[in-house]
Amino acid sequence: MDDTAVFKLSYGVFYLGCEDKGQKNVCVVNTVIQVTQEPLKVAVTVLKTSKTHDMIASSKKYSVGIMGENASMETIRHFGMQSGHQVDKLKDFPYKTDMLGNPLIDEGCIATLSCKVYEEVDLGTHTMFIADLVDAHNVSNEKPLTYSQYRENRINGTKKETQSNEATQPQKEIWQCTVCHYIYDGDIPFEDLPDDYVCPICKKPKSVFKKV
Ligand code: FE
């Protein structure tokens, strides 16, 4: 089986915002889908070890910011590659609040959704939060960013950095987690990492990484 076949499923890229007992957090996901039309329901699947997961499980609400093609990789990295357990990602970062009190990031956002959890589905490593859509706004007419475009931008960005270093350093290989699509960007060559290395995002072992 070639796991990379699932990369061809088309997804968007989203800010997932939450607020629980006054605390706010935002992460980046590719797992928001519309599940019914009347009434409008959406779903998001969230890793159980993430802070966002526990906050949504407690508060039963979340916001979604749909990213456009011009969303900056830097902002995606800020919200997507750091854990809310370790960092207050909203400290010193401008945001608005939706009608449910969830944070909304302006940067690169083309539409927003406000969601009240209707049902939770336990999926082992993840929980799917199915929700009623209670508010929604279009912010711009820019085209939505697809997950495939995001992956390409990430890989091209890493290749460009590698090329600019080529004169002084050997060609760097690009390794990607096949589970969460995280791209390893450490200084140590991937193959030299210890056998107990785990993906910093989904915590899966080194063996799930593939060269891209
Ligand atoms: Fe991963």
Side-chain angles (χ1 to χ4, degrees):
M1 185 165 96
D2 183 354
D3 293 351
T4 62
V6 299
F7 290 172
K8 290 177 185 156
L9 286 168
S10 56
Y11 308 100
V13 186
F14 314 99
Y15 294 114
L16 178 63
C18 53
E19 183 275 332
D20 185 41
K21 302 177 190 85
Q23 198 177 23
K24 295 183 176 73
N25 190 35
V26 173
C27 68
V28 175
V29 296
N30 69 331
T31 52
V32 178
I33 52 168
Q34 180 188 341
V35 290
T36 59
Q37 178 62 28
E38 280 178 21
L40 263 171
K41 282 189 175 59
V42 295
V44 64
T45 307
V46 187
L47 191 67
K48 282 184 183 171
T49 53
S50 71
K51 186 171 176 95
T52 310
H53 176 276
D54 296 347
M55 290 173 71
I56 296 176
S58 164
S59 69
K60 312 288 182 207
K61 62 191 174 73
Y62 56 88
S63 65
V64 174
I66 302 173
M67 289 190 206
E69 284 182 331
N70 294 327
S72 93
M73 295 304 284
E74 203 182 317
T75 309
I76 296 178
R77 256 198 295 268
H78 178 80
F79 288 105
M81 300 285 164
Q82 304 189 89
S83 165
H85 285 301
Q86 270 117 38
V87 185
D88 179 359
K89 296 185 250 183
L90 290 167
K91 188 175 178 270
D92 303 325
F93 203 100
Y95 65 90
K96 291 179 184 157
T97 305
D98 74 355
M99 63 178 290
L100 299 174
N102 300 304
L104 293 170
I105 305 300
D106 259 346
E107 205 284 316
C109 177
I110 61 166
T112 63
L113 312 176
S114 296
C115 313
K116 270 190 188 170
V117 174
Y118 163 86
E119 196 174 334
E120 294 175 24
V121 182
D122 188 337
L123 300 173
T125 54
H126 292 66
T127 298
M128 177 182 271
F129 296 102
I130 301 168
D132 288 304
L133 187 64
V134 295
D135 199 15
H137 297 277
N138 275 301
V139 180
S140 93
N141 291 326
E142 196 186 309
K143 280 188 192 162
L145 175 65
T146 63
Y147 195 66
S148 147
Q149 184 63 50
Y150 160 76
R151 287 188 63 248
E152 233 166 78
N153 293 350
R154 279 278 287 152
I155 291 166
N156 288 342
T158 309
K159 278 187 179 155
K160 241 182 241 164
E161 270 170 43
T162 307
Q163 277 157 8
S164 67
N165 290 335
E166 245 173 31
T168 51
Q169 286 172 18
Q171 175 101 29
K172 197 171 155 190
E173 288 173 340
I174 299 165
W175 288 80
Q176 183 170 40
C177 173
T178 54
V179 176
C180 72
H181 305 181
Y182 167 77
I183 291 178
Y184 172 72
D185 60 359
D187 294 329
I188 301 168
F190 185 79
E191 277 162 321
D192 294 343
L193 289 171
D195 291 342
D196 60 356
Y197 171 81
V198 292
C199 172
I201 305 298
C202 71
K203 314 294 177 204
K204 291 281 182 254
K206 195 179 168 185
S207 56
V208 305
F209 279 75
K210 280 193 176 151
K211 215 190 286 186
V212 292

